[in-house]
Amino acid sequence: MPVCPVCDARLTTGLLAWHLQCPACTYEGSSLEPHILEQAHGGDLDEASREQGLEHLRQANFQRLNALLAGFAGPGDARPRLLEVGCAHGWFIETVSPRFDVTGIEPDVAVATATRARGLAVRGGFFPDVLADEERFDVIVFNDVLEHIPDVNATLAACWKHLLPGGHVLVNAPSRKGFLYRVSKILLKLGRGGAFDRMWQLGFPSPHVHYFDTASVTKLAGKAGFALESRSRLPSVAVRGLYARVRYSRDVSVIKALALTVAVTLIAPFLAILPPDIEVWILRRPS
Ligand SMILES: [Zn+2]
């Protein structure tokens, strides 16, 4: 069994064979293997559904994150440098490019090439390998990315190295305290494991390998020399585009997707006051 990336205790098997739990802290992980680089041409999933399903929610959330970054632009003429790890189609770096000098890193070579063709500064490959040793940024952003990276400690250590003193890391990721995640665990115990599998993105090109909460993020941050500066929430569900998002995984039937869409639409108004399924953590490298 692997050890907990937060506290180094030996992990134990959780609710399913691939689900890992730490007996000593709140960390949850998985032994699911990413296969970004090996997926079939055109991708394993329905990219058109994915784009359509996530677009509205993502754009709205990018505006919220942009507002959170407002204070980081700082005085003076020099635009602060922002790095986004796992920038995909570059929508977030486009959102923040009026105020920041932006760079993206994207492991999917086809996606990186397409994004670069649109004129954005995107490097194909992995963080931090594609950075020069001496490159430094004011802000490093992980939008739904850190939970996919196996060695989270090495990643945060690399952030420290590539940030200027006083710089920030912005992480948004699924929260293990989220309402929908808790519901998926209850459903799993009732014999309906589909939602739990989906929460971990089982079978996706890049499944989740971690589920964090504020306690685990604070401890991981501290080990890498960061302090937790703030936490906030992002909506994980938007009714608009929901059906396409549910259908994104091709094994969900039309009837099941419709039923799920109706169910989530009914509970959506309450999700805003329930424990958030996506949290935003801002970490600061001390000056
Ligand atoms: Zn632990």
Side-chain angles (χ1 to χ4, degrees):
M1 275 291 182
V3 297
C4 173
V6 179
C7 75
D8 295 324
R10 185 71 54 187
L11 294 172
T12 56
T13 303
L15 302 177
L16 292 169
W18 50 261
H19 179 230
L20 303 169
Q21 279 174 325
C22 180
C25 75
T26 60
Y27 172 81
E28 291 179 40
S30 82
S31 55
L32 301 173
E33 306 251 351
H35 52 275
I36 302 178
L37 300 179
E38 300 130 50
Q39 60 180 296
H41 183 68
D44 289 351
L45 295 156
D46 188 335
E47 267 300 314
S49 282
R50 181 182 162 84
E51 301 253 325
Q52 193 191 352
L54 285 172
E55 191 190 343
H56 306 298
L57 179 64
R58 193 158 17 202
Q59 291 298 347
N61 283 350
F62 285 170
Q63 291 302 335
R64 291 183 180 98
L65 294 171
N66 191 25
L68 281 178
L69 292 174
F72 300 171
D77 294 337
R79 294 201 310 164
R81 293 194 70 194
L82 180 145
L83 173 72
E84 187 187 14
V85 179
C87 67
H89 305 282
W91 295 332
F92 178 74
I93 54 179
E94 274 182 322
T95 305
V96 297
S97 62
R99 288 189 292 126
F100 291 91
D101 177 9
V102 295
T103 303
I105 297 178
E106 171 52 43
D108 186 315
V109 176
V111 172
T113 305
T115 307
R116 205 160 43 237
R118 287 175 34 234
L120 297 169
V122 174
R123 302 181 201 176
F126 287 91
F127 173 80
D129 311 354
V130 296
L131 296 177
D133 236 29
E134 67 283 1
E135 278 187 281
R136 297 290 180 275
F137 298 87
D138 296 278
V139 186
I140 301 179
V141 177
F142 294 84
N143 284 322
D144 267 321
V145 164
L146 200 62
E147 71 275 21
H148 297 272
I149 298 179
D151 194 342
V152 63
N153 285 300
T155 301
L156 288 174
C159 286
W160 197 93
K161 179 184 161 188
H162 287 285
L163 272 179
L164 291 161
H168 293 85
V169 181
L170 184 152
V171 174
N172 62 75
S175 168
R176 59 173 287 282
K177 295 197 163 171
F179 174 73
L180 294 177
Y181 186 56
R182 292 186 210 207
V183 169
S184 80
K185 283 180 165 175
I186 295 168
L187 289 172
L188 175 64
K189 285 170 186 162
L190 295 173
R192 313 283 298 184
F196 187 76
D197 291 350
R198 182 58 182 267
M199 287 293 188
W200 284 92
Q201 301 195 344
L202 177 73
F204 283 37
S206 181
H208 293 160
V209 291
H210 314 287
Y211 245 90
F212 301 118
D213 60 14
T214 297
S216 54
V217 167
T218 305
K219 186 125 190 248
L220 286 166
K223 287 202 298 182
F226 294 103
L228 178 69
E229 184 167 283
S230 73
R231 57 182 284 215
S232 47
R233 62 193 291 158
L234 285 180
S236 54
V237 169
V239 171
R240 209 173 150 197
L242 182 61
Y243 176 77
R245 189 174 170 200
V246 172
R247 283 278 286 162
Y248 167 39
S249 176
R250 284 173 175 149
D251 58 1
V252 178
S253 71
V254 171
I255 290 181
K256 202 171 161 193
L258 279 172
L260 263 171
T261 302
V262 170
V264 177
T265 301
L266 290 175
I267 63 164
F270 302 100
L271 288 176
I273 52 167
L274 291 165
D277 277 275
I278 305 177
E279 290 209 57
V280 185
W281 295 283
I282 294 179
L283 319 177
R284 184 167 187 275
R285 186 189 147 162
S287 325

